Amino acid sequence: MANIKELKEYASINNIPIMQDEGIDFLTTFIIKKQIKKILEIGTAIGYSAIMMARLSEDIHITTIERDEERYMEALKNIKKFDLEDRITLIFNDALNVKLDEEYDLIFIDAAKGKNKDFFTHFENNLSMNGYIITDNMYFHGYVNQDEEEIPSKNILGIVRKIKDYTYFLENHMLYKTTIYNVGDGVAVTERRG
Ligand code: SAH
Ligand code: MG
């Protein structure tokens, strides 16, 4: 029997950074409230968030992209287990190499944190007129709000600076407006300006 708890346990044991409960609650509530039907997800991992979103309604279709082969295989298995193969399309590739023609009501960015701006610009043409782009991990485990001197590694500092740059990009964009919500690890919701 397919079981969400097992997915979460697998993720926890294998150090796979799936969405936190608070973040997933926010995301699923948002999808229901806005009656979102077509979703593009960047960063499948083992399929947890895709499965959580797809379960909300039979009308929801998701395309999700993962570049790590082991995780992709695990996601494929999980999506089958939950009987969602007809509503979740899995693409095994680096998202920045994927060109899509369709439009989506929601583009959910949850992959390499330093590349959020690249994902955004790569896929913004796939956003439907009234669509939303949601980005997870805007706080990057809290590091984004820490003094830069206290950040333990150059690597993390590099990502923090890229997230700050992405935040600035979103908040000053001519075409979009963005709100960053203090839920989970920080969730940004972007929509077209009126
Ligand atoms: N959305 C998932 C968690 C994703 S974790 C959930 O909440 O259940 C982030 C994933 O993005 C990782 O599995 C990583 O391999 C993948 N990823 C990172 N950069 C990527 C890229 N450029 N293209 C595709 N996948 C990427
Ligand atoms: Mg995340």
Side-chain angles (χ1 to χ4, degrees):
M1 241 286 279
N3 180 324
I4 292 288
K5 211 171 137 234
E6 275 174 21
L7 287 187
K8 288 165 94 170
E9 277 166 11
Y10 179 96
S12 160
I13 291 165
N14 294 285
N15 275 317
I16 295 163
I18 63 169
M19 262 206 134
Q20 301 175 9
D21 287 348
E22 217 187 34
I24 205 86
D25 285 349
F26 177 88
L27 184 67
T28 51
T29 305
F30 186 89
I31 290 168
I32 293 166
K33 194 170 92 196
K34 304 290 183 185
Q35 300 186 320
I36 282 160
K37 304 287 179 239
K38 270 188 77 177
I39 301 168
L40 171 63
E41 177 182 65
I42 321 299
T44 319
I46 60 166
Y48 167 72
S49 52
I51 289 167
M52 292 297 281
M53 294 189 283
R55 273 158 41 109
L56 297 173
S57 153
E58 301 256 306
D59 302 332
I60 293 177
H61 286 82
I62 302 172
T63 297
T64 178
I65 310 174
E66 175 57 53
R67 69 171 174 193
D68 179 276
E69 185 165 18
E70 203 179 324
R71 291 183 183 180
Y72 162 78
M73 295 301 288
E74 192 64 29
L76 211 56
K77 205 171 81 188
N78 289 330
I79 290 162
K80 270 204 185 119
K81 260 197 213 165
F82 280 82
D83 233 346
L84 289 167
E85 306 107 291
D86 54 337
R87 291 197 290 110
I88 302 178
T89 304
L90 202 51
I91 298 174
F92 172 47
N93 203 340
D94 189 306
L96 295 174
N97 295 329
V98 177
K99 281 255 175 275
L100 297 168
D101 297 324
E102 287 178 52
E103 288 191 346
Y104 300 88
D105 308 319
L106 170 65
I107 299 176
F108 174 47
I109 302 175
D110 190 21
K113 306 314 163 200
K115 286 194 181 154
N116 286 340
K117 206 206 289 187
D118 300 325
F119 298 131
F120 188 102
T121 52
H122 186 76
F123 290 111
E124 66 179 311
N125 288 334
N126 296 96
L127 188 66
S128 69
M129 213 46 203
N130 298 308
Y132 299 89
I133 297 178
I134 293 188
T135 312
D136 188 31
N137 305 101
M138 295 301 290
Y139 299 157
F140 194 47
H141 318 298
Y143 287 125
V144 168
N145 299 315
Q146 248 179 17
D147 278 347
E148 292 200 351
E149 298 77 53
E150 286 169 20
I151 290 173
S153 85
K154 268 200 166 155
N155 209 349
I156 294 174
L157 181 59
I159 296 171
V160 164
R161 289 196 170 143
K162 282 187 167 159
I163 294 174
K164 286 180 177 170
D165 175 68
Y166 179 59
T167 305
Y168 184 86
F169 163 84
L170 290 178
E171 288 181 340
N172 294 282
H173 207 296
M174 305 264 284
L175 302 177
Y176 304 97
K177 58 173 189 237
T178 294
T179 308
I180 298 175
Y181 292 91
N182 185 13
V183 295
D185 195 26
V187 179
V189 178
T190 304
E191 63 188 299
R192 288 184 212 280
R193 290 188 185 275

